[in-house]
Amino acid sequence: MPLLKSDLLWGRGHQRVPSGSREFHEVTKRDAEVRLQVELDKLVSSAPNETAKNICKKELDGFAKLFDRFLRETGPSVDWNKIQKLPEGAVLDYGTLSRPSLEVAKSMLEKLIVVKLNGGLGTSMGCHGPKSVIQVRSELSFLDLTVQQIQHLNRTYKTNVPLVLMNSFNTDEDTQKIIRKYKGLQVEIYTFNQSCYPRIYKETLLPVPKKCDPTNDSEAWYPPGHGDFYDSLNNSGLLDRFIEQGRDYCFVSNIDNLGATVDLNIFNLMVDSSKSPEFLMEVTDKTKADVKGGTLIHYEDKLRLLEIAQVPKDHVDDFKSVKTFKFFNTNNLWVKLSAIKRVISEGSLNMEIIVNNKTLSNNMNIIQLETAAGAAMKCFEGCLGINVPRSRFLPVKKTSDLMLVMSNLYTLNQGTLVMSPQRMFPTTPLVKLGDNHFSKVSEFLRRFATIPDMLELDHLTVSGDVTFGKGVSLKGTVIIIANHGDRIDIPAGALLENKIVSGNLRILDH
């Protein structure tokens, strides 16, 4: 039997070193760190000129710090038994917040910036380019609606709240071209780029790229999650610039969350509060559809975000319990800019690392090291959760979400989606569309002559080769299943109420 590398290191002859051996892991970690640094230095030297080398080195230094933490932080970052019950007043109900007067609102808004996380591509929905340019309603994109919202805010309160877009190397060039069309509007738009880090092979922990050239080798690089927001805003120079202008608050949200508008009641709490919180997180009631979403806990006497990736395996079911953890994070965050500057200067910004496993087009397994913006909560003082209505959380991740926001469930008012007063319930229907025929936007749109009337719909499941004619109405629970090789065409003007439509077009009461 041949000697293992670990046997040679520890002189144990043919005895295998247990995988849990601390010494073994320490040596392999040091080895991984040294080998990675050699490869990172090669990447820096491959940059075409001094300016590019300096930029590349700064990025890769940031990655090296993240990688170092990844090697040292093993196992779940939370001791389940140390989780404390949320204290009284840790999560406030949105209904208890007060609305500021017009004059107070105007002075508050002069201190605000609105940040939209705009680093994602539309590839998961079959689209090319930034996700923010997908048309979601009345031929308007996520970005169009966001700009409309900010313009309406500025006109109403005669103020000048800037819109700040955090782009990634994937979305920056296209976004720069698109925002030129907004020049005539009453919105100042700023952009900055989040970091660009190398993907690493899962087995060797070595970087995938051979050259520092993300533009021409985008598969080898990735933007490291929205937790990168704080450092990237600081590195861009915009953080100092806004603070110098007297702006001390930011509202941060995902650009694909159409419910994430500037809310004066929440902002008023932030500005006019005896607690003077540095960080507010909007949470909403958890349903069975949200069991994987991050939640708020009290841990080591601080309020913090708990993500499913941090949960020990034998407690995952506890984490998913709607009774135990009632809220989940919407990723709508309100943060003091001066506090961001402080935690960065102190070096106390510390977010749990999310290991994202992916497979490249050549079938090689790689990992991305990411962080989440909400996880920074524990680094700030006087943090609060706000339990907001579900209407503040309208993300469009799949075409099933797109179907909801395009339907008559909502009307559009100055860039903001408003639930129709004709809807009897405050919640949206549960919609499940089959991946094979509906996952891409172009395919999804081709299957609907018009989006059905969904005002009285509770649940819709569609699977297989199904198309909808004009003016279809769906009520109650509707299940439409076209078996393999079958096709179902729902005729124009059809009313389906509590029906199952199966592959042979039999219509059954449900």
Side-chain angles (χ1 to χ4, degrees):
M1 180 178 174
L3 284 178
L4 302 173
K5 180 184 175 188
S6 51
D7 297 331
L8 294 171
L9 282 170
W10 300 114
R12 300 214 182 167
H14 294 273
Q15 181 188 345
R16 288 177 183 269
V17 177
S19 60
S21 162
R22 189 167 58 84
E23 297 90 347
F24 173 75
H25 285 303
E26 284 301 316
V27 170
T28 53
K29 282 176 184 177
R30 283 199 298 273
D31 186 39
E33 217 165 357
V34 170
R35 287 185 302 131
L36 179 90
Q37 194 55 58
V38 169
E39 295 302 315
L40 295 184
D41 290 344
K42 285 181 187 173
L43 284 175
V44 172
S45 63
S46 74
N49 53 54
E50 279 308 308
T51 304
K53 281 180 182 175
N54 290 335
I55 293 169
C56 186
K57 184 174 188 325
K58 192 171 185 179
E59 295 276 308
L60 294 180
D61 284 350
F63 175 74
K65 286 180 187 172
L66 194 64
F67 184 80
D68 177 62
R69 283 185 47 219
F70 160 68
L71 290 179
R72 275 152 185 60
E73 295 170 11
T74 55
S77 58
V78 169
D79 180 339
W80 196 259
N81 298 319
K82 288 185 180 178
I83 295 177
Q84 303 158 298
K85 191 179 176 185
L86 285 174
E88 193 75 29
V91 178
L92 303 181
D93 191 84
Y94 178 82
T96 64
L97 305 183
S98 56
R99 190 166 184 83
S101 67
L102 191 71
E103 282 307 305
V104 170
K106 180 173 164 43
S107 66
M108 280 166 39
L109 289 168
E110 286 168 2
K111 300 174 185 172
L112 181 70
I113 67 170
V114 173
V115 179
K116 291 289 179 178
L117 305 171
N118 185 44
L121 292 168
T123 45
S124 64
M125 293 169 72
C127 297
H128 299 289
K131 186 176 183 182
S132 57
V133 303
I134 294 174
Q135 291 185 356
V136 287
R137 183 91 190 202
S138 306
E139 297 186 351
L140 297 170
S141 67
F142 292 105
L143 196 50
D144 292 335
L145 294 174
T146 300
V147 170
Q148 278 193 12
Q149 291 166 15
I150 305 292
Q151 177 172 257
H152 178 61
L153 188 75
N154 286 337
R155 280 180 174 170
T156 304
Y157 294 95
K158 296 181 174 58
T159 185
N160 188 26
V161 175
L163 172 62
V164 184
L165 301 173
M166 182 171 88
N167 300 332
S168 68
F169 70 95
N170 287 318
T171 63
D172 185 57
E173 188 178 342
D174 287 337
T175 301
Q176 297 298 345
K177 292 174 186 170
I178 291 157
I179 60 177
R180 290 174 195 156
K181 71 177 181 179
Y182 306 126
K183 278 193 173 172
L185 303 178
Q186 195 180 329
V187 181
E188 277 185 26
I189 301 178
Y190 297 83
T191 66
F192 68 99
N193 272 16
Q194 67 181 115
S195 300
C196 175
Y197 287 169
R199 286 170 160 167
I200 54 177
Y201 290 113
K202 189 172 183 178
E203 295 303 319
T204 63
L205 299 183
L206 292 175
V208 174
K210 297 301 176 195
K211 287 185 178 178
C212 202
D213 187 12
T215 311
N216 293 313
D217 190 13
S218 59
E219 198 186 29
W221 301 81
Y222 74 101
H226 42 62
D228 186 52
F229 155 70
Y230 308 97
D231 280 321
S232 292
L233 181 68
N234 182 54
N235 292 339
S236 72
L238 286 175
L239 180 59
D240 290 333
R241 183 171 173 179
F242 289 130
I243 291 172
E244 284 164 14
Q245 290 175 3
R247 299 189 183 276
D248 196 24
Y249 299 92
C250 65
F251 172 50
V252 185
S253 62
N254 297 352
I255 197 148
D256 65 3
N257 178 6
L258 294 171
T261 57
V262 172
D263 187 284
L264 293 173
N265 298 19
I266 299 173
F267 189 28
N268 188 41
L269 171 76
M270 185 113 194
V271 175
D272 183 34
S273 171
S274 55
K275 289 187 177 180
S276 192
E278 292 183 344
F279 194 109
L280 292 180
M281 177 183 287
E282 293 184 36
V283 295
T284 194
D285 290 343
K286 207 177 195 181
T287 69
K288 288 182 179 176
D290 313 306
V291 292
K292 292 183 179 178
T295 191
L296 277 182
I297 59 169
H298 204 235
Y299 191 82
E300 295 176 342
D301 297 321
K302 293 206 83 169
L303 204 58
R304 66 188 274 182
L305 177 66
L306 176 67
E307 299 275 11
I308 195 165
Q310 299 162 243
V311 177
K313 284 181 181 175
D314 52 341
H315 286 288
V316 167
D317 287 342
D318 300 332
F319 173 82
K320 290 180 177 179
S321 163
V322 177
K323 287 181 181 176
T324 312
F325 298 103
K326 297 175 183 176
F327 313 114
F328 78 96
N329 170 29
T330 64
N331 212 41
N332 299 347
L333 310 172
W334 301 76
V335 196
K336 280 194 84 167
L337 295 180
S338 54
I340 293 174
K341 190 68 189 176
R342 186 192 74 241
V343 297
I344 288 174
S345 301
E346 290 173 352
S348 58
L349 190 64
N350 177 25
M351 291 159 281
E352 285 76 22
I353 294 172
I354 300 161
V355 180
N356 193 349
N357 291 283
K358 287 187 177 287
T359 305
L360 297 181
S361 56
N362 62 4
N363 292 323
M364 293 296 288
N365 293 324
I366 57 99
I367 57 176
Q368 297 179 177
L369 306 181
E370 302 176 8
T371 56
M377 184 181 219
K378 62 181 182 181
C379 310
F380 294 87
E381 298 300 324
C383 302
L384 286 172
I386 308 291
N387 186 16
V388 298
R390 187 75 183 205
S391 57
R392 302 244 342 128
F393 185 67
L394 281 179
V396 179
K397 303 293 182 190
K398 296 181 174 182
T399 51
S400 52
D401 303 320
L402 193 58
M403 185 177 179
L404 292 172
V405 300
M406 291 176 80
S407 75
N408 62 342
L409 288 166
Y410 296 98
T411 55
L412 195 58
N413 180 16
Q414 305 292 345
T416 300
L417 288 181
V418 181
M419 177 79 80
S420 168
Q422 292 172 278
R423 173 79 174 164
M424 297 296 287
F425 329 99
T427 55
T428 54
L430 184 61
V431 174
K432 296 179 180 177
L433 302 178
D435 284 343
N436 290 344
H437 295 82
F438 289 87
S439 63
K440 295 183 176 179
V441 173
S442 56
E443 179 86 347
F444 159 81
L445 292 173
R446 191 177 64 75
R447 292 183 173 276
F448 293 93
T450 59
I451 301 295
D453 172 351
M454 298 167 66
L455 283 173
E456 296 179 45
L457 180 69
D458 297 323
H459 178 117
L460 172 68
T461 294
V462 183
S463 178
D465 188 0
V466 179
T467 60
F468 293 77
K470 283 188 177 181
V472 173
S473 292
L474 305 172
K475 298 183 179 184
T477 296
V478 178
I479 298 170
I480 306 169
I481 309 285
N483 297 324
H484 183 69
D486 289 334
R487 173 172 171 167
I488 295 177
D489 296 309
I490 305 297
L495 166 60
L496 300 180
E497 182 171 4
N498 294 325
K499 290 281 190 270
I500 297 174
V501 182
S502 65
N504 59 8
L505 276 179
R506 282 183 303 135
I507 296 182
L508 310 168
D509 279 320
H510 175 68

